[in-house]
Amino acid sequence: MKRLVLEAEGQVTPVCSKTHIAYSFHLDRQGGKLWIDYAYGPKNLEDREQAHPLIEAGINKYTEQAQRARLLEKWESFLPLKNLITVSVDDPKRHRGAGHRHDPEQLLFIGSEEASPGFVSGELSEGLWRVTLSLHEIVTDNCRYRLRIHHEEA
């Protein structure tokens, strides 16, 4: 039987880039499997005119002077710009891993015998858990996210 232990939704903007949003939830029983259903959107910034100054600023900030003119000429090769939000999990005792994937819809799991790539399998401890959303980059005016966590009891 799966039991919902956390449900959260929110909206972020470009000013939220390079920050984190943490959610805590309590498992009242050990064991079983944790399911993390997570999505955000939109994924891409479709407006080329809005993307152009962002790409120029990135080229000017992160490239060597000698490379800038060449890269600025082909700025369109960096399209489309993408939002990136990733998820990491901590149990009451330790870090259980992170899913640094570009897919805007993910279903991840942690169980005693196996786990999604990037996460550590092992017995699920009862107690306070934490899921952190890392907002690497938000390039659209608004980006909505949804997070649902279920505990599937053994």
Side-chain angles (χ1 to χ4, degrees), residues 45-55 75-76 79 81:
L45 173 60
E46 300 296 343
D47 185 333
R48 296 165 57 85
E49 297 307 312
Q50 192 176 354
H52 190 189
L54 297 173
I55 292 169
W75 70 271
E76 291 169 314
L79 294 173
L81 293 183

Side-chain angles (χ1 to χ4, degrees), residues 12 17 32-33 43 54 57 64-65 70 72 81 86-88 92 107 120 122 124 126 130 132 137 145 153:
V12 293
S17 295
K33 189 179 279 188
K43 179 63 179 170
L54 297 173
E64 295 179 20
Q65 182 71 34
R70 178 182 61 82
L72 288 168
L81 293 183
T86 61
V87 62
S88 63
L107 181 60
V120 178
L124 301 188
E126 67 179 277
R130 186 176 65 201
T132 303
E137 193 64 44
Y145 67 87
E153 297 176 9

Side-chain angles (χ1 to χ4, degrees), residues 11-53:
Q11 180 171 294
V12 293
T13 63
V15 73
C16 301
S17 295
K18 297 172 186 54
T19 65
H20 305 279
I21 301 171
Y23 291 98
S24 296
F25 61 94
H26 188 267
L27 289 187
D28 56 4
R29 295 183 185 148
Q30 79 177 49
K33 189 179 279 188
L34 200 65
W35 291 94
I36 302 159
D37 180 9
Y38 149 74
Y40 65 92
K43 179 63 179 170
N44 296 332
L45 173 60
E46 300 296 343
D47 185 333
R48 296 165 57 85
E49 297 307 312
Q50 192 176 354
H52 190 189

